[in-house]
Every structure is written in C-alpha cells, then in structure tokens.
C-alpha cells in the first residue's frame, strides 16, 4: 500500500527551506511535510456493510436497544412498534383535557373538509367522513407524531380525482370509480409502508421544497378552478383539469351561471377568507378560522332550509346514509384492465400524501423539540391507508391545516385524533340528516379557502432571489401542473431538480486559489480579495467529485487555466509558471474515468515541463488513487496534505 | 451585504487567547480571525452568461481570434472550419511518403473489414466499400485528428443491424431495409453535428469507461455469436441477437453444420488471431496483423476458386456491382411508419459512433501531444455521415483498430484517409470480380478476430479492484447486452452510472476531523491516525453539496454524530461537548432545502445549548447563505475562514 505509513518527513534544514520560498512567509512554519495517509483497507464485505448501513440505517435505529436487559428490550420494542404504549403509560387527566379540546376543535374542521375533499376526489361526500374515522384511530396507535391530525387532504384528493377521472367517469360508472379509488388507496398504503419497511424514505426527499412550492401553487389553482363549477352553479362542466379547458368550459356555459348560488358562494368564501386572515395575523385567535367552516356550514344549511334553496336552483348535498364505515374489502380489485391505473394512482397519491404527512409531522416535532422517525411514520401512514381501503376510506394523511389547528389548540398526544374520530362517529350515527339542506356551493367555498393558503408567492420570490435554478424547478412544476397535467408537472419538476445535481457534476466550478496573507490558508481569489497569487504556482480548487461526467471537461478546463495563466504571466512579466497544485479538498469522490483524467493531465503537463501536484486528497479518493496505481504514477513527492506544504516542498525542490 | 467587507479582526490580547485554548498549540498563531468574504454580487444576466459560458464554451474557442487583424481572423476562421487548409498549407513531399504508406496499409485492412461489417449490419457487402470511400474524403477536409482512419466500425454496425432487424428483415424486404439504414445514417449525422454545433458534446461523456468496457465486451460476444452462422455454415439462423436464442438456434440446426466451412473458418480465424497476437506483443510488427485480413481474403479466395468451393457447400460473396457510390438521396424516407425507428436507430448508433470516434481521436492526439476540439470533431463526423447517407454509405466513424494501424504505419496528416479512399475507389472500379469466390466464412473470421480485442477482462478486473460501483455498471452493461438487448444494456448501464452520482448526493460522507499535531490542519480521523480530537469540540467534514436529496439525511446524521460523541464523552469522562464545527470546504453548492436544513440544525442545537459554527463556506455557498438570510441567523461570530480560527475564537469566547 502506497503512503499508508505515517512518516513525517523533515527537510534537511528548515532555514534553507524558508530562504528558498519565492515569496515572504510571515506565519509560515513549513518545517515538516506530512505524508498523506490512506484510510485502512477494508474488505469488500466490511465496506459494503458500512455503505448499506449509511444508506438504509443512517439513524442507527437499534442504538437504544444496546446494553439493555431482555425484558427492557421487549418493552422498548413494544414502544418502538406501537408508540401508543409509550405515551399511553404516562397518560394522565390533565393531558386528557387538552387533547379533548383540540380533538373537538379539529373535528369541527374535519367534518366539513372531509365532505368537501371527497367531492374533490370525485367520491360521494360520505366517504370523506368515513376517511376521517378509521385512519385517525389507527394512526393514534402506530404514529409517532403528537400533533398530526389525520384525514383526507386536498392535494391527494385532487390528484386521485384527476388521475381516475381521466379514465373512468364517477357519474357514469360510480361503482367502478369507487372500486378504483379504494384499490388505489390500498396500493398507496402498500407503497408507503414498503418505503418505510425497506427504509427507502429518502425517496420522499426527492420532492424538493421548490418543486413542492410550485406544485402546490399550481394544484391550488387547479382545485380552485374546479370549484367554479359549484361556485357558479354550472351543470355541464368539463371533466378535464387543465387551466385552458376549464376556463373554456366556464365561459361556454355562461347561461348556466346561477346568481343565487354565486352570491351565496362568494359571501361565505369572503367570510372564510376573513376568518383565515384574522387567525394568520393573530395566532391566538386560531379558533376563528378553525370554527369558520362548521359555522358556515350550519349557517348556510339553515339559510338553505328557510328559503327552500333547492327550489331556487341551489343544489344541496341531499340524503346521506347514516351509520359507520361499511367494509369495502370486496370492492378491492386486483385484476382487470384498470389494475395499472390503480397502481399508478396509488403510488403518486401515496408519495404526495407521504410528503405532506412527513413535512407536517417534522414541522411540529421541531417546534416542540422532539424527533419523529421517518421510516416508522411511513409504516404508520401506510398501515392506516391499507386498513382504510378495507373500510370505505380513501387516501388520508396528516393534514397541514388541521394539524396547525390541533397544535394551536394545545393537543398533547395522538389522543386528540381519537377524540376527533369519536366526534366524527357521533356525526355519522346521528347527525347525517342535518346535511340534507347543506348547499354544494358551501363545499366549494370551503375547498377554495383551504387551498388558497397553498399559493406561496413570497416563497417563490425568495427562490428567485436566492437560487435561480430552484426557481426554475418551482415554475416548471407550477406551469406543468396548470397547463399539462398534475402528474406531468410533478415529473418535470423532479426531472429538473435531478438535472441540476447532474449539471453540477458535469460542469463543476474550478477556482484559482491564492494565499490569504498572514495565514497558511489558500482561498478563492474571486471570493477573498485580500488573497494573493503565489508566483510560479497555479493553485486550482476543484469543487466537485471527479466523475465520468466531468473528467473530460476538467481535463480541458484545467489546461485552459494553465494557458490563460501563462498568457497572463507573459503580459505582466512575472516569473514563469512551474507548478500546478490541485486542491482536492472538495473532490470527495473519484471514479475510474476521473483517475484516468488525472493521469492524462499529469502526462500532458509533464510534456510541457510543468509539475502537477495534488493537495489533500480525502479518504476515499486517496484509497482509490492508491489502489489504481495513480498514486504511484504521481509519486509521494507530488501528493501533499495541504496546499501550503505542497508549495513549500515544490519551492524547496526547485532550489536544490 | 453581510460579511462582504474585508475586515480582519484582532483579538484584544493574543496571549490571553493562547492561554485560553483547551489544548497545547505548538504551531498555532491564532492572532487574527479573518472575516469570511462573500464574492462580489453579480447581476442575474452576468452570472447566467458566465454559467452558460462554462457549460457550452468551456474551451473558450474564440480565444485564438483575440487581438488579430481582420485578414488574419479570416484565415484563422478558414483553418478553424476546414482544418485541411491548416495542415495543407505546410504540406510537403516527405509527409506524403509517410501518408501514402499508411494510407495503403489501412486500405488493405479497410476493404475486407468494410465488406464484413456491412454484412454485420445486414447490408450488402458493397455498401461497406462505399462507406470506406466518401466519408474518409469528407473527414480529411473537416476533421482535426491526424490519425483517425475513418470507415464502418463493428459496434455501430452491430447496433444498427440489431435495431433494424427487430422490425424489418433484410432478406425479405431488402429495399426497405436499405432505405431505413440510409435514413438512420442521415439522422445519426444530424444528431452528431447538432451535438457539436449546440456544443452539447458532454452528452458523449455520459457513456463512462466502465459502461463502455461492459458494453463492448457484451457486444463483442453477441457479434461473435452471430458469426457462428457463417462459421458453421448454418442456413436457417435466428434473427434475434440475445445469447440464449442464438445458442438455441445453433444447436437446433446441428444438421446444417458444414465441416468444410468449419475447417476453413477455424483455420483462418486461428491465423488472424495469431497475427493479432504477434502485433500486440511487438508493436513494431503492426503490419503483421494489418496485412493478415487481406492476405486471408486473397488466400481463401484462391483456395475457394481452385477447389470450386461453392460446389462443396461453402458459400461465397458472389457478384459485386462495379463502380463508384450511386446516389441514395432518393432512398431517404422522412415519413411513413418507420420514421421513429430510423430516428431512434440513428441517435443510438450516432452516439456510439461518436463515442468511439472521439475516444480514438483523443487517444492518438494525446500520444502525439496535440489537442482535438471535441465539438468540431462532432461536426466533422456528423457532416460525413449526412453526406454519406446521400451516397450509399451507412454509419461511419473513426475505427480504433484501423487508426492504430494508421498511427503505427507513421501517418502524418488526414491525407492518409485520402490515399485510403483512392485505394478503395480503385478496388471498386476494377477489382470487384476478384471477390466472386471469396468465401462468406472468411468475413465471419475477420469480424470475430476484430471484435475479440474488445473484450477487456483485465480492465473489468481492475474496476473490481478499484471501484465496485464502476464494476457493477460494467457488468450490468455486459449482461444487459448479452441477455436482454443492445439498447437495454446500454440504457441500464447509463442509468446505474447516473444513479451512482445521485446516491453520492443523497447519502454523502460525513467524517470527524481532528487536529494534525504540529499543524493548523484538521483532517479525517479515520484517514490520518495521528490526528487528535479537540476536547469540547466536534468537528465534522461534510463531503458533498447540501441539496434537497440529502438535507434531511445530513440533519439527522449530524444529530446522530452529536449523540454518539456525547455518549463517547460520558464513557471516557472527557470535558463536555460545547461546540460543533462544520467544515464546509467540500460543500461546493447549497440549495434552498440545504439552507433550511442548516437553519433547522442551528435551532435544534441552540435548544441543547450547543454552538454550531461554520468553517470555510466557499464562494457560491457564502453568497447564497448571505442572500437567503441564513448568514444573519448564524451571525458573523459563527462563520469562520478556517476550522482553526473557528476553534480559537470559540475557545476564546467560552473563556471570556
């Protein structure tokens, strides 16, 4: 093994060396040159184990089980798999009060939103209530977040509706549509739980924040546009989702606009938006926006009842079946021509639901300074969707708006979800007839008021200011969703985000470094204006791993730097270039193409009598250079621990 | 702008500071703390211009035109676009001798190989000769390599044949097949030239060397297996390419094996392989392998003529049309049902041809110490294929084997291609009847002997030794080509290579740094065993940009490092952890998710009364941190130029 010994090499005479430096060396003490070490060689199995450990178990989930008795391990395992036992064992009455208040508060929000979101997904309103009953119960047993309020959410509802409606009409084939929705929910659950069990949670991270900002903004507009049907009382509406067909449909059916519906819708929308605005301004008044939807539903229902709204062209929800969730296992369909549609819909809504749920869980966990386990959370959300699909529920997750209310109302544990589910159960058993007169336009107003908060103009502006590429990803997602389709918008944005990583690995920065006076540090001349070039040396920092995608570019780019430096030297009459130092601190990986490029570069520069020296190759790179023979090609006298030592040694060599 | 001024902050009393350091400081002179600079703010247009310049014009092609007179500029432009004027103006007789010798030598190789490769592509043998005539002429005018020998090559021929044969049979619909081949060639040329003109040459780099090693190995085996048809004299052979169907076909048609053919084929194959072996061992005897194919063709033709081979079941080439390339513009078909096939085939063969041509050109340029311009070379190769498709030629590029012969035979300029083309012309005009008795089996032997060199077992073994992931990409390409299909094998390998980059950006290394005694440097403890931890500090090196793909991971991973460090400290009874220093030297980029992760991390650690300090944020990162407000959140007293200064300052602060 080359360079694996820990030799510290002393120069014959330190005074000699200092005298030999071509520039003043105020704080320089280059008495010694340190050999660059190569990390200890591991067996293939060891390094594979370590690598896989980093990929799949970065959080080291077993560390809490170390050095514990068997009984304690069992208890910990029970706590690990069923967090309810963890918080349940310490539960006391004082907590119950907080949880009960927050549970009832989110129920008052969950009932109208559940009915509305089900409509958004093209499902009967009652499915929204079913979905607010079973999944919260399951989550309260398995989930590790204390603040998540579980139920249907707007984005997942929209995407499921948009994907299924492309193929099947919920009006013409309601049973098939319902079958597909439950089957897709089942697959969403399977997908979510698998991601957690296989510890592939990082796939969720591939939806970057800029992508989500753009996507949610676009989706919010799409959702709001869809609500124009209810808000304007239009009967014949397009089944398409895009901006253009919807606007066409709205204006082609001008004759169907019903002024009574419009007036009622806009008034309540204004009410909801004002309530939302008040709560945003004063977080203590969170209950204003939390209570507003239920208040509106009650008010509008009473109005509708008094004025016999259906007679004036205002459509109402009508009869809703009383009773708890009927089983729906028999509706799951794992064959037939629509299986692939169900799987695709399940995966996309599943990942979106997961993204929202995880983000919400993490946000509130960080506010209360506890941590949630991403992979475990995925299993919990997946399990509740799998179970939900067998009990007439469609895709659910942690909702941002309701979780915020839950948090503000002072919830302490997942018990608030149980309280909410009980309130929903009570509603389903006894209060269903009350919804008979609830106008449909009310549901549209609730949806619009809920999604309008997803449009984050300030966030998009900040992206423009800070990172243009992120802004591009954001805008592609936005316009992709708006003009093409929900799935395509998402795909384009993810593609652009990944392309950004690849372009960084394809055209990395190379910068000229100079000595920061009075220090041993070498920094980018463009960044530190006080840094000065070292005569006869060209010090280049390479700001990327050297991969096949950039090895050819780097080779040519470095040669161009050399050419430009030589031209500059000729112009300014400085001492001629002798040595090129590559600062490898940021070269965190190298592949076979990269090593070949380094060797090629060395040979090319050798032919021009220029020295090529590497400074600070990091662990993995040093190991590979050594294994591949590139190290030997360079020789230990061309590889140093720091740029400073490389320069000192090279200057010394030139003198002797 | 935060931190953009160049303040150098002195501590009140240096002696104070040194006394306050918690560990001995032999070569420490931390008298000053340097402010971290942020690069000068650029306008969006400026930074876009610079960025695009790096992406599309990394070689700064216009630099040679700077500060030149108009006339000189014109001459340089002529030289730039038509390199023939550059070398042509200095041409003299001594060069001609070398070029003539090498030209004739490569012609003797090009004629039998041309005929053979055309058969490999499913085309009439004569197309192979046509393709060795027009393209070399065009390349000699436009190409910048002095050593490239242009003509049909095995890999591109194989891929074109395999892709077209999947849809159209060359035996049943020869005209359609020919049309498709020319149309695909045209698109290959358009694609190649566009890559050059749009300066997207880096796309070729996405075929990494490991991928190519695996792909070529697999393709060589596929090609050799295909030749079993000719070598065994089988009449009914599968049209499929995969390993399994071919072997099935070989053994199912055992009855068709013809011993005369087998004996002749194996003898000449042995002769060719021995000749190749001799030349490999002694490069000076390059002419042995260069002359072997033509010698074999002549010998086998004479034998076949004497023994009336066709009467013994040995199939011969038969009648070949005399004359120069007929025009084929009328055969190009830009409509109809096969257009997408032609485009797809054109793009894939085009990129493979380009990869081979560029690699060959670069290899020999570096041997002779000149540089070729990648983008210009692509335009030259593209132009010759576009022109070729109109003159009955199929895809051509620089062939590795013939270029090596060209180089060894002492070629000086692209004139050797003109000499070769003339020899081919002479053959086409006058020597075609001589091929009447050439046995088909001879062509199979020539193909096998040529492609067997593409199987690089030693290269694959080196990959295994140096880089397991590269080895995986290599093997996927190999088995993908062998067992699935040529295109799929290629796609899988490229996918794996790109996935490797993404996984590095998703699960980056984080390492603990320690002080290397006697220096101001902080290095990986696992790499430098002499490095020592700094009490009360946890110094982490982050070896990757912080992106959306890894921001969540890094946040959790760093918290785990902190937890483990605290556990270690408790065990070993050391002084408690106070400060976490992140060495950002290798964090060469950051996006909005990354900055949010840093802010989150700071808040989390603040709650635990732990200091989080950043050391050495590089230019772009410093700029973004400053623009987004993250810098202000940290405050200048938490951002330092070096790890050493960060530690000195933090220790000082703790003491005061």
């Amino acid at each position: 093994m080359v360079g694996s010994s820990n030799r510290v090499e002393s120069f014959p005479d330190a005074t000699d060396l200092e005298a030999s430096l071509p520039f003043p060396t105020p704080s320089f003490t280059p008495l010694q040159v340190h050999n660059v070490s190569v990390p200890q060689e591991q067996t293939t199995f060891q390094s594979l184990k370590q690598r896989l450990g980093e990929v799949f178990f970065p959080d080291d989930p077993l560390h809490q089980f170390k050095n514990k008795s068997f009984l304690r391990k069992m208890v910990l395992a029970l706590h690990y798999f069923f967090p309810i036992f963890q918080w349940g064992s310490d539960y006391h009455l004082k907590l119950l009060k907080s949880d009960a208040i927050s549970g009832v508060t989110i129920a008052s929000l969950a009932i109208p939103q559940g009915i509305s979101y089900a409509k958004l997904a093209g499902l009967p309103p009652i499915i929204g209530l079913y979905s607010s009953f079973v999944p919260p119960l399951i989550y309260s047993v398995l989930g590790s977040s204390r603040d998540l309020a579980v139920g249907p959410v707007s984005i997942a509802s929209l995407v499921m509706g948009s994907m299924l409606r492309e193929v099947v009409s919920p009006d013409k084939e309601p049973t098939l549509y319902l079958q597909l929705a439950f089957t897709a929910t089942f697959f969403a659950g399977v997908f979510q739980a698998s991601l957690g069990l296989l510890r592939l949670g990082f796939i969720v991270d591939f939806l970057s924040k800029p992508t989500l900002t753009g996507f949610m903004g676009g989706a919010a507009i799409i959702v709001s546009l869809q609500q124009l049907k209810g808000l304007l009382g239009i009967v014949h509406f397009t089944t398409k989702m895009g901006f253009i067909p919807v606007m066409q449909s709205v204006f082609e059916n001008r004759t169907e606009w019903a002024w009574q519906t419009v007036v009622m819708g806009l008034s309540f929308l204004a009410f909801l938006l004002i309530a939302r605005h008040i709560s945003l301004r004063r977080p203590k008044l969170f209950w204003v926006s939390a209570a507003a939807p239920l208040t509106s539903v009650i008010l509008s229902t009473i109005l509708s009842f008094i004025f016999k709204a259906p007679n004036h062209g205002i459509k109402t929800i009508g009869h809703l079946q009383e009773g708890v969730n009927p089983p729906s296992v028999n509706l799951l369909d794992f064959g037939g021509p629509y299986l692939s549609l169900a799987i695709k819909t399940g995966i996309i809504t599943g990942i979106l639901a997961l993204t929202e749920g995880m983000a919400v869980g993490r946000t509130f966990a960080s506010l209360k300074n506890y941590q949630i386990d991403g992979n475990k959370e995925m299993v919990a959300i997946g399990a509740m969707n799998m179970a939900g699909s067998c009990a007439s529920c469609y895709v659910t997750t942690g909702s941002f708006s309701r979780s915020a209310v839950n948090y503000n109302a002072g919830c302490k544990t997942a018990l608030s979800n149980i309280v909410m589910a009980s309130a929903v159960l009570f509603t389903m058993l006894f209060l269903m007839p009350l919804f008979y007169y609830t106008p449909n336009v009310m549901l549209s107003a609730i949806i619009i008021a809920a999604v309008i908060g997803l449009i984050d103009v300030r966030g998009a502006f900040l992206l423009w200011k800070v990172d243009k590429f992120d802004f591009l990803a954001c805008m592609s997602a936005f316009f992709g969703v708006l003009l093409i389709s929900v799935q395509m918008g998402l795909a384009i944005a993810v593609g652009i985000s990944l392309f950004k990583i690849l372009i960084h690995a394809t055209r990395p920065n190379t910068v000229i470094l100079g000595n920061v006076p009075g220090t041993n540090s070498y920094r980018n001349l463009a960044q530190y204006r006080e840094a000065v070039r070292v005569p006869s040396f060209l010090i280049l920092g390479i700001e990327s791993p050297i991969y096949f995608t950039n090895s050819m570019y780097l080779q040519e780019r470095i040669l161009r730097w050399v050419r430009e430096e030589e031209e500059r030297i000729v112009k300014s009459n400085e001492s001629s270039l002798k040595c090129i130092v590559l600062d490898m601190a940021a070269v965190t990986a190298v592949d076979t193409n990269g090593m070949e490029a380094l060797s090629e570069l060395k040979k090319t520069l050798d032919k021009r009598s220029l020295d090529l020296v590497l400074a600070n190759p990091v662990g993995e790179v040093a190991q590979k250079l050594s294994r591949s023979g590139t190290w030997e090609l360079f020789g230990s006298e061309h590889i140093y621990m720091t740029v400073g030592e490389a320069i000192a040694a090279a200057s010394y060599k030139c003198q002797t």
Side-chain angles (χ1 to χ4, degrees), chain A residues 474-494:
Chain A
C474 173
M475 284 299 109
S476 329
F478 181 78
F479 287 107
V481 168
L482 215 54
L483 301 177
I484 311 176
S485 77
V486 169
Q487 308 98 281
M488 274 308 288
L490 207 56
I492 293 173
V494 171

Side-chain angles (χ1 to χ4, degrees), chain A residues 358-374:
Chain A
M358 304 285 292
V360 174
R362 277 178 180 146
T363 305
F364 291 105
S366 114
L367 282 175
K368 286 194 182 169
N369 202 21
Y370 65 93
Q371 270 195 298
I372 61 167
D373 177 336

Side-chain angles (χ1 to χ4, degrees), chain A residues 121-259:
Chain A
L123 294 164
I126 188 79
I127 302 287
L129 289 184
Y130 293 159
S131 306
S132 308
F133 173 55
V134 171
L137 289 180
I138 294 173
Y139 183 82
S140 63
V141 174
L142 296 173
S144 52
S145 166
R146 302 175 202 155
D147 303 275
L148 216 60
V150 167
V153 294
S154 54
I155 297 287
S157 305
L158 163 78
V159 173
M160 175 170 277
S162 113
M163 291 185 71
L164 294 184
R165 251 186 288 220
E166 264 176 24
V167 181
V168 176
S169 158
D171 302 321
K172 289 183 198 144
E173 301 173 276
T175 318
L176 176 60
Y177 192 87
L178 209 57
Q179 273 188 337
L180 285 178
F182 292 147
T183 314
T185 302
F186 180 80
F187 282 116
V190 170
F191 177 68
Q192 293 167 330
S194 325
L195 281 190
L197 289 174
L198 301 174
R199 310 195 65 85
L200 295 171
F202 61 83
I203 287 179
V204 171
D205 296 337
F206 275 51
L207 293 176
S208 68
K209 214 189 147 197
T211 302
L212 283 174
T213 305
F215 174 75
M216 305 245 275
I221 292 180
I222 291 277
V223 169
S224 304
L225 290 176
Q226 284 291 313
Q227 302 318 312
L228 288 178
K229 183 190 178 194
L231 213 58
L232 301 174
I234 296 172
V235 183
H236 300 94
F237 201 70
T238 177
T239 57
K240 288 183 184 150
M241 286 284 175
F243 179 77
I244 294 159
V246 168
M247 292 317 284
Q248 269 177 347
S249 181
V250 164
F251 286 99
E252 274 169 11
N253 297 307
R254 267 188 310 273
T255 48
E256 296 181 359
W257 295 13
W259 70 266

Side-chain angles (χ1 to χ4, degrees), chain A residues 2-323:
Chain A
V2 188
S4 61
S5 71
N6 277 324
R7 168 179 61 96
V8 171
E9 201 176 81
S10 291
F11 277 93
D13 187 346
T15 343
D16 252 31
L17 178 62
E18 286 213 354
S20 76
L21 284 173
F23 57 100
T25 56
S27 76
F28 254 61
T29 49
L31 298 165
Q32 300 180 314
V33 166
H34 296 76
N35 218 34
V36 176
S37 305
V38 174
Q40 218 170 352
E41 196 70 22
Q42 288 181 313
T43 64
T44 308
F45 176 73
Q46 276 175 326
S47 62
L48 191 70
K49 192 181 150 196
Q50 194 192 339
R51 201 82 210 111
L52 291 181
E54 273 312 313
V55 171
F56 295 110
F57 302 97
D59 51 346
D60 190 16
L62 295 179
H63 78 275
Q64 53 172 328
F65 295 104
K66 274 176 203 153
N67 310 321
K68 294 280 157 61
S69 71
F70 178 76
L71 194 71
R72 185 79 198 128
K73 268 186 191 162
M74 282 297 106
V75 174
L76 282 174
L78 198 69
H79 287 180
Y80 183 81
F81 291 111
F82 302 100
I84 194 171
F85 290 109
Q86 200 172 355
W87 57 264
S89 55
D90 310 327
Y91 207 79
H92 50 84
L93 266 186
K94 217 168 141 192
L95 293 178
L96 181 62
K97 198 187 139 199
S98 309
D99 284 338
I101 292 176
S102 48
V104 171
T105 315
I106 51 175
S108 78
L109 197 55
I111 293 164
Q113 283 192 348
I115 295 175
S116 312
Y117 292 158
K119 264 199 72 209
L120 190 56
L123 294 164
I126 188 79
I127 302 287
L129 289 184
Y130 293 159
S131 306
S132 308
F133 173 55
V134 171
L137 289 180
I138 294 173
Y139 183 82
S140 63
V141 174
L142 296 173
S144 52
S145 166
R146 302 175 202 155
D147 303 275
L148 216 60
V150 167
V153 294
S154 54
I155 297 287
S157 305
L158 163 78
V159 173
M160 175 170 277
S162 113
M163 291 185 71
L164 294 184
R165 251 186 288 220
E166 264 176 24
V167 181
V168 176
S169 158
D171 302 321
K172 289 183 198 144
E173 301 173 276
T175 318
L176 176 60
Y177 192 87
L178 209 57
Q179 273 188 337
L180 285 178
F182 292 147
T183 314
T185 302
F186 180 80
F187 282 116
V190 170
F191 177 68
Q192 293 167 330
S194 325
L195 281 190
L197 289 174
L198 301 174
R199 310 195 65 85
L200 295 171
F202 61 83
I203 287 179
V204 171
D205 296 337
F206 275 51
L207 293 176
S208 68
K209 214 189 147 197
T211 302
L212 283 174
T213 305
F215 174 75
M216 305 245 275
I221 292 180
I222 291 277
V223 169
S224 304
L225 290 176
Q226 284 291 313
Q227 302 318 312
L228 288 178
K229 183 190 178 194
L231 213 58
L232 301 174
I234 296 172
V235 183
H236 300 94
F237 201 70
T238 177
T239 57
K240 288 183 184 150
M241 286 284 175
F243 179 77
I244 294 159
V246 168
M247 292 317 284
Q248 269 177 347
S249 181
V250 164
F251 286 99
E252 274 169 11
N253 297 307
R254 267 188 310 273
T255 48
E256 296 181 359
W257 295 13
W259 70 266
Q260 300 94 330
T261 311
V262 175
V263 168
M264 187 171 211
L266 289 184
S267 328
F268 279 106
L269 182 57
F271 170 68
L272 289 169
L273 290 178
I274 291 169
R276 189 173 158 269
H277 187 74
I278 292 173
S279 295
L280 274 182
R281 278 295 163 92
R282 306 209 177 171
K284 283 208 169 172
L285 299 179
F286 70 90
W287 53 267
V288 174
S289 75
L294 193 62
T295 316
S296 321
V297 166
I298 294 171
L299 265 180
S300 65
T301 307
I302 294 173
L303 284 175
S304 157
F305 178 72
I306 295 173
F307 295 108
K308 298 278 174 257
N311 299 346
H312 298 87
I314 294 179
K315 278 177 286 296
T316 60
I317 293 183
H319 177 68
L320 288 179
Q321 182 68 46
E322 290 172 27

Side-chain angles (χ1 to χ4, degrees), chain A residues 375-652:
Chain A
N375 288 302
K376 222 162 79 184
E377 200 64 6
M378 290 186 191
V379 175
I381 294 179
M384 90 190 178
N385 277 320
M386 281 194 280
S389 70
C390 304
S392 301
C393 307
Y394 78 109
V395 173
T396 50
T397 186
S399 140
F400 196 87
S401 56
R402 294 197 296 280
S403 301
V405 169
N406 199 21
Y407 171 85
N408 281 315
C411 70
K412 299 292 178 214
T413 67
L415 195 83
S416 64
N417 273 308
I418 300 181
V419 174
M420 180 192 80
S422 313
V424 172
L425 176 66
F426 183 78
T427 311
M428 292 194 298
L429 289 178
F430 307 112
L431 308 181
M432 297 315 269
L434 299 182
F435 289 108
Y436 189 89
Y437 277 99
T438 307
N440 275 333
V441 62
M442 199 52 240
L443 303 183
S444 298
I446 289 175
I447 293 179
I448 295 181
V451 298
I452 224 152
L454 299 177
I455 305 173
D456 185 5
V457 178
R458 195 179 299 175
F461 178 72
L462 192 68
L463 289 179
W464 166 258
K465 219 180 86 190
V466 174
D467 193 325
K468 303 288 184 287
F469 222 119
D470 277 356
F471 181 74
L472 179 68
C474 173
M475 284 299 109
S476 329
F478 181 78
F479 287 107
V481 168
L482 215 54
L483 301 177
I484 311 176
S485 77
V486 169
Q487 308 98 281
M488 274 308 288
L490 207 56
I492 293 173
V494 171
I496 288 184
S497 307
L498 294 182
F499 179 73
K500 182 194 172 188
I501 296 184
L502 291 179
I503 200 90
H504 186 261
T506 305
R507 289 287 185 266
N509 278 339
T510 43
V511 296
I512 302 195
L513 308 184
N515 181 250
V516 179
T519 72
N520 224 328
S521 302
Y522 293 79
R523 292 288 183 270
N524 185 352
L525 288 179
Q527 185 183 2
Y528 291 85
R529 262 162 295 167
E530 67 267 38
V532 290
R533 288 168 194 266
V534 181
S536 300
F537 284 88
L538 175 63
I539 313 164
L540 290 174
I542 298 174
E543 299 197 335
S544 153
I546 308 182
Y547 284 136
F548 63 98
T549 50
N550 62 27
S551 60
M552 199 53 76
Y553 163 78
L554 279 176
Q555 213 176 320
E556 290 179 0
R557 193 65 184 82
I558 290 170
L559 290 177
R560 178 175 155 201
W561 278 123
V562 172
R563 191 189 72 218
E564 289 177 347
E565 177 72 6
E566 281 176 335
E567 286 170 4
R568 198 191 60 79
I569 284 174
V570 168
K571 251 192 209 155
S572 60
N573 244 328
E574 289 178 19
S575 58
S576 69
L577 187 61
K578 279 184 190 142
C579 179
I580 291 104
V581 182
L582 296 187
D583 182 0
M584 307 273 283
V587 180
T588 49
V590 70
D591 68 0
T592 39
N593 280 58
M595 287 183 284
E596 203 165 285
L598 284 177
S599 309
E600 280 289 314
L601 196 62
K602 171 144 184 70
K603 286 179 200 154
T604 309
L605 292 175
D606 274 353
K607 283 182 190 149
R608 300 203 206 161
S609 310
L610 289 169
D611 246 3
L612 180 66
V613 170
L614 306 183
N616 191 16
V618 300
E620 200 189 313
V621 174
Q623 204 161 43
K624 282 197 188 163
L625 290 179
S626 146
R627 261 191 246 154
S628 71
T630 315
W631 194 292
E632 278 177 350
L633 178 81
F634 272 84
S636 281
E637 73 282 8
H638 285 102
I639 303 182
Y640 292 92
M641 193 181 76
T642 64
V643 173
E645 290 185 0
I647 289 177
S651 309
Y652 179 79

